[in-house]
């Protein structure tokens, strides 16, 4: 278990990255080498077996021939006196690099090609068995020889078998032949191994080519050439990866584009009040002797433009704060009814100024886990808009309701309404349906984006129901319990 953990730690160390070509090459070499090694092993061992078998059969045949000759010539009865038979026995022993011993019926050795045991008794098991009519042969693996006992039959038998011929033949010759073959096989295996390494390296290079080409394209993208064609159709895998990277890239491009748009919108929005201030100041300065009232009027306009500029900056800061992914919510249990009541209290003077009636309808008591500051900003934006884009003598009705999962804050007004074609856009930054009216009322064009951001941070939703000229209803739906 410990070793396994160590092994896993080793292979997952971020500083050790193994090139894919190494395991691929090793696998290819292994797949080539394992069958080669198995084949040579099987071949050599079956060759050894067949050599041994044929040598044994050959020696057995030669012994049978010799034994028949001995029978015919009456060797054991001492009828053959010219020594030709002895020579033949000696030659056979020499051919097989071994020893031949002839034992007579009294278990006495009558001929030994090593000339060391003549006239001695030989009561070995195989000799006894042979006298009983069973020829035997056995192979001694460790000492590299095999022994055979062949009966010598009698022409005028008493019990049929007159003696036994025992031959011990060395297998060293066969083994050294096989060793030489083994050497050649090892040399061949080495050659195959080298060829396999070369073949594996070439194959791996070819197999990884589409990946390398893909990597080159990605390097170009990383260097800034975002429009590089990154399609890699060599394999299905490279195709899938390039498709996924392509999607990521186009998203990045969209983000980059929207960032650029945002920056140019921001500069435009910030410039507008400054331009107005400049025009007002320049015209004041261009007048030789302007009356005091005109000065006052121009200064009021300048002060209004400064307020607008500062509102834009405040809204921008709120948006930027919420855009940060680590933006933290300050979640606490908040009485929504009390919160809405405070908002309406704060906005009542503006509503009165525009002769718009503010109504609060609380259907039930609601306490929810929310960020009080942010939610207050979101609802204020909706109510402020409902007042700003209303008609004189109009009304704004704010309703607070809840079910077992969500609470709802509905802000309905009797105002100018929003054409349906604009519904998808009004939550975009700096988007205004009626630009002149928005500017005239000191809007920054960021209010609804801030509201939507706050709602999304609370894992809620914002719904709009409106038609041009028929008033608007914005509904916030936010979970009662915040789940991080
Ligand atoms: P602004 O600062 O211009 O009010 P918002 O993001 O709050 O920016 O709103 C975007 C636009 O949506 C407004 O300019 C206005 O045209 C439209 N809008 C928002 N609320 C209402 C509403 N209650 N009735 C009519 N139009 C609205």
């Amino acid at each position: 278990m410990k070793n396994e953990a160590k092994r896993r730690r080793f292979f997952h160390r971020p500083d050790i990255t193994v090139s894919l070509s190494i395991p691929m090459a090793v696998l290819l070499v292994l797949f080539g080498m394992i069958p080669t090694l198995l084949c040579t092993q099987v071949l050599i061992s079956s060759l050894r077996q067949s050599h041994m078998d044929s040598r044994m059969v050959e020696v057995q045949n030669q012994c049978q021939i010799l034994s028949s000759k001995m029978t015919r010539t009456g060797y054991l009865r001492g009828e053959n006196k010219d020594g030709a038979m002895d020579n033949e026995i000696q030659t056979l022993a020499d051919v097989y690099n071994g020893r031949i011993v002839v034992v007579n019926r009294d278990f006495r050795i009558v001929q030994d090609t090593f000339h060391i045991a003549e006239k001695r008794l030989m009561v070995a098991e195989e000799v006894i068995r042979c006298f009983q009519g069973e020829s035997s042969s056995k192979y001694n693996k460790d000492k590299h020889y095999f022994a055979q006992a062949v009966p010598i039959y009698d022409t005028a038998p008493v019990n049929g078998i007159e003696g036994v011929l025992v031959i011990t033949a060395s297998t060293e010759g066969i083994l050294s032949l096989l060793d030489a073959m083994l050497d050649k096989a090892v040399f061949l295996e080495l050659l195959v191994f080298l060829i396999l390494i070369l073949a594996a390296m070439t194959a791996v290079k070819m197999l990884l080519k589409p990946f390398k080409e893909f990597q080159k394209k990605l390097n170009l993208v990383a260097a800034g050439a975002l429009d590089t064609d990154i399609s890699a159709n060599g394999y299905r895998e490279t195709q899938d990866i390039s498709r996924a990277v392509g999607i990521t890239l186009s998203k990045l491009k969209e983000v980059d584009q929207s960032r650029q748009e945002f920056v140019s919108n921001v500069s435009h929005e910030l410039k507008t009040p400054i331009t107005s201030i400049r025009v007002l100041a320049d015209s004041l300065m261009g007048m030789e002797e302007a009356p005091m009232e005109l000065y006052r009027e121009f200064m009021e306009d300048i002060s209004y433009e400064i307020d607008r500029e500062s509102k834009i900056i405040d809204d921008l800061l709120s948006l930027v704060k919420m855009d940060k992914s680590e933006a933290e919510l300050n979640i606490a249990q908040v009485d929504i009814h009390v919160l809405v009541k405070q908002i309406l209290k704060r906005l009542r003077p503006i509503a009165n100024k525009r002769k718009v009636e503010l109504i609060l309808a609380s259907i039930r008591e609601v306490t929810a886990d929310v960020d009080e500051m942010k939610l207050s900003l979101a609802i204020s934006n909706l109510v402020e808009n409902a007042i700003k884009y209303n008609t004189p003598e109009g009304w704004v009705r704010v309703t607070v309701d809840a079910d077992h999962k969500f609470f709802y804050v509905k802000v309905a007004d009797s105002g100018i309404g929003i054409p349906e074609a604009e519904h998808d856009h009004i939550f975009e930054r700096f988007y205004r349906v009626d630009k002149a009216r928005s500017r005239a009322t000191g809007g920054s064009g960021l209010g609804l984006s801030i509201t939507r951001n706050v709602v999304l941070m609370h894992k809620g939703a914002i719904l709009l129901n409106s038609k041009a000229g028929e008033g608007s209803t914005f509904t916030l739906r936010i979970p009662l319990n915040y789940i991080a």
Side-chain angles (χ1 to χ4, degrees), residues 222-360:
L226 294 186
D227 291 323
T228 311
D229 172 24
I230 54 156
S231 56
N233 298 328
Y235 298 120
R236 218 178 58 210
E237 285 75 9
T238 50
Q239 207 175 30
D240 289 349
I241 298 172
S242 70
R243 212 172 287 151
V245 174
I247 293 169
T248 316
L249 264 180
S250 57
K251 280 194 181 150
L252 275 177
K253 276 188 225 162
E254 271 171 31
V255 170
D256 192 47
Q257 202 181 336
S258 87
R259 189 183 56 84
Q260 277 176 15
E261 266 171 31
F262 181 64
V263 170
S264 80
N265 282 343
V266 167
S267 3
H268 176 75
E269 293 296 330
L270 291 177
K271 249 177 134 180
T272 318
I274 288 177
T275 316
S276 304
I277 292 168
R278 186 178 196 108
V279 170
L280 287 166
D282 282 353
S283 30
L284 261 189
M285 282 189 295
M287 285 181 216
E288 286 284 300
E289 285 208 4
M292 196 57 195
E293 294 80 60
L294 200 68
Y295 259 103
R296 185 174 293 281
E297 194 186 318
F298 273 43
M299 288 314 283
E300 268 171 14
D301 288 349
I302 288 175
S303 154
Y304 170 77
E305 292 298 338
I306 290 171
D307 281 349
R308 204 148 76 88
E309 181 90 14
S310 117
K311 165 111 173 76
I312 295 174
I313 292 169
D314 285 349
D315 282 356
L316 269 176
L317 286 176
S318 310
L319 254 187
V320 170
K321 260 193 226 158
M322 274 181 259
D323 264 2
K324 278 190 200 162
S325 53
E326 71 268 25
E328 273 179 19
L329 282 176
N330 228 336
I331 298 291
Q333 280 248 313
V334 175
D335 184 331
I336 305 297
H337 175 78
V338 172
L339 180 85
V340 174
K341 214 168 150 186
Q342 279 168 358
I343 294 169
L344 294 192
K345 193 178 164 197
R346 192 163 43 81
L347 294 176
R348 206 167 290 278
I350 310 172
N352 289 343
K353 218 166 148 188
R354 291 173 190 254
K355 296 196 171 47
V356 173
E357 189 190 357
L358 282 187
I359 308 155
L360 171 61

Side-chain angles (χ1 to χ4, degrees), residues 311 315 381-382 384-390 411 413 415-418 425-435 437-439 441-451 466 471-474:
K311 165 111 173 76
D315 282 356
N381 283 343
L382 292 182
E384 255 178 83
N385 280 350
I387 299 169
K388 277 194 304 188
Y389 302 106
N390 218 315
V411 181
D413 65 62
I416 57 168
I418 303 163
H425 303 292
I426 55 160
F427 295 101
E428 288 168 14
R429 292 158 178 181
F430 298 117
Y431 191 86
R432 290 144 173 141
V433 178
D434 180 347
K435 289 181 181 53
R437 182 165 182 150
S438 165
R439 290 224 169 87
T441 53
S444 66
L446 296 170
L448 285 182
S449 339
I450 293 173
T451 302
S466 177
S472 316
T473 306
F474 286 88

Side-chain angles (χ1 to χ4, degrees), residues 117-129:
E118 274 141 347
K119 298 212 171 54
R120 285 203 196 147
L121 280 174
M122 185 174 182
V123 202
E125 192 191 334
E126 59 265 28
V127 176
I128 299 169
R129 276 223 225 114

Side-chain angles (χ1 to χ4, degrees), residues 147-187:
Q148 278 190 350
V150 180
I152 304 164
Y153 291 98
D154 195 354
T155 41
V158 177
N159 62 7
I161 295 170
E162 195 181 28
V164 172
L165 188 116
V166 181
I167 181 161
T168 321
S170 166
T171 56
E172 294 278 2
I174 299 172
L175 290 178
S176 57
L177 188 83
L178 286 169
D179 280 348
M181 282 183 76
L182 201 66
D183 286 349
K184 274 188 193 145
V186 169
F187 174 72

